[in-house]
Amino acid sequence: MVEDGGEEEAEGESGEMPAAAAVPPLQRCNGFLPGKEAEDGGQAAPAGGGEQEEPEAMAMLAAGGGRLETRLSRRRLAVLAVFSCYSLVNAFQWIQYSILSNVFAGFYGVSFTQIDWLSMVYMVAYVPLILPATWLLDARGLRLTALLGSGLNGLGAWLKCASLAQDRYPITLAAQAVCAVAQVFILGLPSRIASVWFGPTEVSTACAVAVLGNQLGTAIGFLLPPVLVPNTPDDINLMARNIGIMFYGTAIVSTLLFFLTGVVFKEKPKYPPSHSQAVLQTMPPEDYSYKQSIINLFKNIPFVLLLISYGIMTGAFYSVSTLLNQMIVTHYEGEEVNAGRIGLTLVVAGMVGSIICGLWLDYTKTYKQTTLIVYILSFIGLLVFTFTLDLGYLMVVFVTGGVLGFFMTGYLPLGFEFAVEITYPESEGTSSGLLNASAQIFGIVFTLVQGKLTTDYSPRAGNLFLCAWIFVGIILTALIKSDLRRHNVNSGIMNLDVKAVSGDS
C-alpha cells in the first residue's frame, strides 16, 4: 500500500483488525466509553480523569462514514527496534560511571560523591524538564521528540571524548548532563509508541519491549565497562586509553542510531492500530489542552497513588543500581568485575520479568493485581538481598540479585501500562512523563540518603531504608481503584461490532 507522498507502508495482513460496521451515531456513543451509560441501562467504566469528548468524536466518525478501519503496520517493528536501541545506549551512558566509581574517582581525582553525581545528574535534569518535554511530545509529535532524544544522546557521547584527561571532570559532568537531557525525551516514549503503533492484543508487550531496551542498556553498562576499563591505578595512560575506547565506541554507535531514527520514525501509521486510537484521532486538535490534561491527571486519585508508588519503586531501583559497586566492593574487595556481573544479572532477570509481565497483561488485563503482587515480591527480594549480602559468598549475591531484579525491574513497564489504562484518553506521554519525574525525585533522595547510610554505617542500613519505603509503596498500590478505561473502549467497540453484523439492535 502506498501512502501520500509515495512512501510504501506495508500492512501486516495477519494483524489487520476488522473494521467496524456502520451504525447510527447514538449506537456508537453508548455502552463502551468511559463515564457514559449503555442504552440497555448497563454502566460503563466511570471516568476518573475529568469529562472527555469521546462520544462526540465517535458521533462525528459515524456521521462521516461509520467505519473504524484499523490495521497494523509492519513499520511498527522497526520503530520499536530503533527506539529500543538508542534508549539502550542512553541507559548505558547513565550507569557506565557508577559501576566503575572507584576507577573514575581515581582517574579524575574526585570523591565518590562526585562520581555519584554523574549518575544523579540524570535524575536532576529530568524533574524540571519533563513538563516542557511532554508538552513538546503532545504539541510537535513523536518524530521530533525521538530525533531530539537520539541526537542529544549522540552529542553527549561525543563530548565525553573530550574529557579524556585527569583535570577534565567538569567536561565529563557537562557531557553527562547533555545525555541526561536526552533521557527526558526517551523515558516517556514507550507507552506512546506502544499505543500509537501497536494493536490492543500486543500493546502491553510492545511497551515492555520498549522499556526492555533501556534495561538492556543498563545491563550492558554493568557488564562492559569493567571489562573495557580494568582498574590500573599504576598506569594512568593505559586507563585513559581504555576509557577512550569506551567513549569513542559509544559515540559512533549513538551517531548511527540518530541517522536510523531519522529514516525509520514517522509520526503515526496510516491507519490507527486500535479502536481506542481511532477514537482519539477523530477528536479535533483544538479540543486538547495540555494544561487541562495535567489538571485531569492530578484530579485522578488512582493515578496520584500510582504516581507515588511508582516513584518509590523505580527510585529504589535507581539507588540500588547507582550504589551497587560500593555495596559489593565493601564486602568483596577487588571484585569490581563481579560487581558488574551482579548488576548484569539483576537487569537481565528484570528484562525477563518485563517481558513475562507484558505478555501476562496482554492476556489477562489484570493490571492492579499483577502490579501489587510484583510490588510485594520486590519488597521480599530486597529483604533477602540485604540480609545475604555480607555472608561472604558471591554466588548467593548473584542469585538474590537476580531475584530482586526480576521483580523490581520487571515492575517498570507495569507502571506505564497501568497508568495509561486508568487515565485514558489523556496523553500517554504526559502520564509516563509524570511517572518518570516522580521516579527521578525519589531516586535523587534515595541515592543521597542510602549513599550516606552506606558510607557512615553499612550497606545493610541503606538497604533497610529502601525496604521501609517500598513497604509504604505496597500500601499505596493496594489502595488504587482499577478502572481499565482504554481496555473498555476497545472491547466495547468490538462487542458492538458483533451486534451490528448480526443485526442486533
Side-chain angles (χ1 to χ4, degrees):
M1 187 171 296
V2 179
E3 292 203 32
D4 294 340
E7 183 178 354
E8 182 176 349
E9 177 75 14
E11 303 292 339
E13 293 181 3
S14 63
E16 183 169 334
M17 299 179 63
V23 294
L26 289 178
Q27 280 185 278
R28 290 203 171 278
C29 293
N30 294 279
F32 61 94
L33 289 171
K36 299 297 179 182
E37 295 185 4
E39 289 199 63
D40 61 1
Q43 287 288 336
E51 288 296 323
Q52 306 297 338
E53 300 296 329
E54 303 100 310
E56 288 78 0
M58 288 301 301
M60 290 169 55
L61 182 118
R67 296 185 67 83
L68 286 174
E69 188 170 9
T70 60
R71 299 184 185 180
L72 297 181
S73 167
R74 290 194 186 100
R75 182 184 287 263
R76 74 193 191 282
L77 301 177
V79 169
L80 183 62
V82 171
F83 169 78
S84 297
C85 286
Y86 77 74
S87 178
L88 179 156
V89 176
N90 184 259
F92 174 85
Q93 296 198 81
W94 164 56
I95 206 65
Q96 65 183 167
Y97 293 101
S98 294
I99 199 59
L100 293 173
S101 55
N102 56 330
V103 174
F104 278 104
F107 180 75
Y108 287 116
V110 296
S111 67
F112 280 102
T113 300
Q114 287 173 286
I115 298 301
D116 289 343
W117 272 106
L118 292 172
S119 171
M120 288 190 292
V121 69
Y122 265 58
M123 309 174 202
V124 173
Y126 197 92
V127 177
L129 294 177
I130 184 53
L131 291 182
T134 52
W135 173 85
L136 186 71
L137 175 61
D138 290 335
R140 299 300 300 273
L142 183 61
R143 176 177 164 82
L144 176 62
T145 304
L147 287 171
L148 280 172
S150 59
L152 288 171
N153 194 48
L155 176 60
W158 282 109
L159 287 175
K160 288 182 183 180
C161 298
S163 68
L164 293 172
Q166 289 185 274
D167 59 347
R168 295 181 184 176
Y169 171 81
I171 296 177
T172 211
L173 177 60
Q176 189 74 334
V178 174
C179 295
V181 175
Q183 175 212 216
V184 180
F185 299 101
I186 294 174
L187 288 187
L189 291 191
S191 56
R192 170 64 67 92
I193 290 173
S195 295
V196 170
W197 284 91
F198 288 82
T201 60
E202 58 188 14
V203 63
S204 295
T205 304
C207 182
V209 171
V211 173
L212 182 146
N214 200 266
Q215 296 171 359
L216 182 58
T218 304
I220 297 174
F222 279 126
L223 176 67
L224 200 56
V227 175
L228 293 175
V229 189
N231 192 10
T232 56
D234 297 328
D235 192 343
I236 296 299
N237 290 331
L238 176 60
M239 185 183 292
R241 186 158 54 248
N242 291 333
I243 293 173
I245 292 172
M246 180 172 66
F247 282 173
Y248 276 102
T250 305
I252 292 170
V253 172
S254 299
T255 303
L256 175 62
L257 288 171
F258 171 68
F259 287 115
L260 282 176
T261 302
V263 172
V264 169
F265 261 79
K266 297 181 63 177
E267 191 58 42
K268 60 184 178 181
K270 181 176 181 179
Y271 296 99
S274 65
H275 292 301
S276 58
Q277 279 297 304
V279 171
L280 292 179
Q281 290 182 19
T282 62
M283 297 174 67
E286 58 269 18
D287 286 353
Y288 175 77
S289 166
Y290 179 72
K291 178 181 177 181
Q292 187 59 45
S293 179
I294 295 291
I295 294 173
N296 290 342
L297 289 174
F298 279 104
K299 286 182 177 179
N300 187 330
I301 300 302
F303 175 74
V304 173
L305 293 173
L306 180 62
L307 185 68
I308 300 171
S309 61
Y310 182 91
I312 291 172
M313 176 64 76
T314 311
F317 168 71
Y318 290 161
S319 183
V320 169
S321 300
T322 300
L323 300 171
L324 183 63
N325 174 273
Q326 296 177 43
M327 285 190 279
I328 301 301
V329 173
T330 297
H331 296 296
Y332 306 90
E333 188 175 352
E335 294 289 354
E336 291 88 358
V337 173
N338 274 323
R341 290 171 181 168
I342 292 169
L344 172 68
T345 302
L346 187 148
V347 178
V348 169
M351 290 162 54
V352 176
S354 295
I355 294 298
I356 291 175
C357 289
L359 292 170
W360 177 255
L361 288 185
D362 277 331
Y363 180 72
T364 66
K365 305 301 180 184
T366 54
Y367 290 87
K368 177 180 176 178
Q369 297 91 324
T370 304
T371 302
L372 182 59
I373 290 171
V374 171
Y375 220 114
I376 293 172
L377 293 175
S378 297
F379 172 73
I380 296 173
L382 185 56
L383 279 176
V384 173
F385 177 80
T386 299
F387 287 101
T388 58
L389 183 60
D390 59 353
L391 292 181
Y393 299 100
L394 269 174
M395 186 55 64
V396 173
V397 183
F398 272 97
V399 173
T400 56
V403 173
L404 175 63
F406 183 89
F407 296 112
M408 183 175 277
T409 316
Y411 170 84
L412 304 183
L414 291 179
F416 279 153
E417 281 300 286
F418 196 12
V420 172
E421 287 293 335
I422 63 179
T423 61
Y424 177 86
E426 304 298 344
S427 167
E428 302 91 347
T430 305
S431 61
S432 297
L434 290 174
L435 288 179
N436 283 318
S438 176
Q440 310 304 328
I441 293 171
F442 278 102
I444 294 169
V445 175
F446 288 172
T447 301
L448 291 173
V449 176
Q450 187 186 11
K452 182 69 172 175
L453 291 173
T454 299
T455 302
D456 293 351
Y457 298 98
S458 68
R460 176 175 294 185
N463 285 335
L464 287 176
F465 166 77
L466 294 183
C467 288
W469 275 98
I470 292 177
F471 185 77
V472 173
I474 292 174
I475 297 173
L476 296 177
T477 303
L479 294 175
I480 298 174
K481 293 183 178 180
S482 180
D483 179 10
L484 306 185
R485 309 179 69 197
R486 180 180 62 179
H487 172 64
N488 291 340
V489 170
N490 281 324
S491 60
I493 291 179
M494 287 187 283
N495 290 338
L496 286 178
D497 289 345
V498 172
K499 290 182 180 181
V501 171
S502 63
D504 294 340
S505 59

